[in-house]
Amino acid sequence: MASHRRPKQPSRTRVTVLTATAAAAVALSSQAAQADPHQSKKDVKSEVDKLYNEAEQATEKYDGVKEQQDKLQKEVDDLQDKVARGQGELNQLRKGLGAVASGQYRSGSIDPSVQLFLSGDPDTYLEKAATLDQLSGKQAEQLKTIADKQRRLAQERAEAAGKIKDLTETRKALGDKKDEIKGKLAKAQQLLNRMTAKERAAMQAEENRASRSNDRANLGDDVPASQRGAAALRAAQSKIGSPYVWGATGPSSFDCSGLTSWAYAQAGQSLPRTSQQQANAGTRIASQSALKPGDLVLFYSDLHHIGLYAGNGIVLHAPKPGASVRYEPMSNMEFAFGVRV
């Protein structure tokens, strides 16, 4: 049966709070309506770019930790395989030693001097006695081998335990860095979502213009630094338009150091994983004017961004989240130095 009670009226206090909240919301809406939309877009873009820059810094650290984790995992796997093989060899040694000991026990119940006295063929007994001496010597050698094997296994187990501890700590650091990156990207997306459709369209148009500049980039006619540098640059050029994805090393998506390491790998040259490591992969070049196509170019004081010099003051790089591999004037970023691999 339906209730016919009158709905409970909100208290005077609650009405006051609701009224104040509504008034504040109207005031904020009014301020937003009066705000300069271009200034708002500029502020949001600046904050988003800052977050993307911080995410890339975290990405390079993530890449370094990921490389360390992969190395530790291989070392742990190798050590565990080595311990397993060693344990199998030890078990075989113990089995062989047990068989010898059992045989000696069964045949050694009579004193050797009595056996010699009772033997109808002293020469045969003496031959057997010599064999028993050899077996005894072999047994001693086996015992020493077993003891050495046990010591090595104990050392390898301790080493494996230490590596596993390091691996556990590294995995935690990797997870923390991943959370940091995702947090910054999520915050940037929240800022973008607060923009109007018109503002977002304007920002996307700017990105599209930056990407279209690839079609008319004047790279000049600089001679490449080397055949290998030229080959790396050609490889990177084949990936123009591929999306930036943090932690990616190709072939369909890249982060900044992922692109440079992949490009040089296509040219037959292995590079370290992170931009900071790649900064030491060759001869440093302090002056922009001395750069040649194919040289690595490092940016910012902490060297968290890297690309390939393409000529005429242009760098080819994977710029940031939400963008794709493209040419860009080096003047858009803080140049640190170049590296000739």
Side-chain angles (χ1 to χ4, degrees):
M1 182 175 178
S3 172
H4 295 286
R5 292 181 182 177
R6 293 177 63 188
K8 186 177 180 181
Q9 297 298 317
S11 67
R12 182 178 299 276
T13 302
R14 188 163 178 244
V15 170
T16 303
V17 171
L18 289 171
T19 304
T21 303
V26 170
L28 287 172
S29 299
S30 176
Q31 291 174 4
Q34 293 174 3
D36 181 358
H38 297 293
Q39 183 64 35
S40 175
K41 171 176 167 284
K42 180 180 178 182
D43 290 344
V44 172
K45 184 179 186 306
S46 176
E47 182 64 21
V48 167
D49 286 345
K50 179 175 178 289
L51 285 165
Y52 281 161
N53 193 47
E54 291 172 353
E56 190 178 35
Q57 288 176 299
T59 294
E60 285 303 296
K61 292 177 182 176
Y62 169 89
D63 291 341
V65 176
K66 179 69 166 61
E67 184 180 43
Q68 184 182 5
Q69 177 193 253
D70 294 344
K71 180 182 177 183
L72 280 170
Q73 185 66 66
K74 185 177 185 308
E75 290 175 354
V76 166
D77 291 344
D78 290 346
L79 278 169
Q80 289 179 332
D81 287 346
K82 192 175 181 181
V83 166
R85 287 195 303 271
Q87 186 63 57
E89 292 168 2
L90 181 60
N91 292 341
Q92 286 298 111
L93 286 169
R94 283 172 171 166
K95 184 178 178 181
L97 183 62
V100 171
S102 298
Q104 287 184 344
Y105 176 80
R106 287 194 299 270
S107 65
S109 57
I110 302 176
D111 185 84
S113 60
V114 176
Q115 289 182 8
L116 178 59
F117 181 76
L118 296 175
S119 176
D121 186 355
D123 290 337
T124 301
Y125 171 77
L126 290 173
E127 183 180 303
K128 290 181 179 179
T131 302
L132 287 173
D133 288 342
Q134 290 173 3
L135 284 174
S136 179
K138 183 178 181 181
Q139 182 178 355
E141 183 180 344
Q142 285 178 318
L143 285 170
K144 182 179 182 302
T145 301
I146 288 173
D148 291 343
K149 176 68 74 175
Q150 286 175 321
R151 279 194 296 272
R152 284 197 298 274
L153 274 175
Q155 291 171 352
E156 288 164 0
R157 284 195 177 101
E159 187 179 355
K163 294 287 184 185
I164 289 171
K165 182 175 181 293
D166 292 343
L167 181 59
T168 301
E169 293 172 353
T170 300
R171 281 176 174 160
K172 182 182 182 306
L174 192 67
D176 292 344
K177 197 57 63 180
K178 184 183 291 187
D179 290 343
E180 180 184 351
I181 295 166
K182 288 182 175 179
K184 291 184 183 298
L185 294 180
K187 188 174 179 181
Q189 189 59 53
Q190 288 172 359
L191 288 171
L192 291 172
N193 290 342
R194 280 165 40 191
M195 300 176 73
T196 66
K198 184 178 180 181
E199 288 170 339
R200 286 197 298 271
M203 283 187 66
Q204 187 58 53
E206 289 180 16
E207 282 296 322
N208 292 341
R209 282 194 296 273
S211 296
R212 284 197 300 271
S213 68
N214 290 306
D215 300 332
R216 56 181 182 276
N218 180 10
L219 304 180
D221 54 1
D222 294 354
V223 177
S226 65
Q227 288 186 348
R228 184 162 290 172
L233 180 57
R234 285 195 300 272
Q237 287 168 333
S238 73
K239 294 301 176 180
I240 288 175
S242 298
Y244 177 104
V245 175
W246 64 270
T249 57
S252 57
S253 58
F254 305 88
D255 61 22
C256 68
S257 56
L259 175 66
T260 51
S261 59
W262 179 87
Y264 263 93
Q266 309 317 299
Q269 176 69 49
S270 175
L271 290 184
R273 177 62 182 92
T274 69
S275 57
Q276 290 90 346
Q277 292 170 328
Q278 292 178 19
N280 298 312
T283 304
R284 291 196 179 187
I285 303 165
S287 171
Q288 293 189 40
S289 61
L291 291 171
K292 295 288 185 182
D295 287 339
L296 299 174
V297 188
L298 281 299
F299 297 94
Y300 306 106
S301 58
D302 64 352
L303 312 179
H304 72 262
H305 190 68
I306 192 168
L308 286 158
Y309 186 67
N312 201 30
I314 301 292
V315 65
L316 178 57
H317 66 152
K320 60 182 180 180
S324 57
V325 175
R326 69 190 185 201
Y327 295 117
E328 192 161 341
M330 285 173 52
S331 57
N332 289 356
M333 295 167 284
E334 178 190 325
F335 172 74
F337 54 81
V339 173
R340 186 156 298 156
V341 178

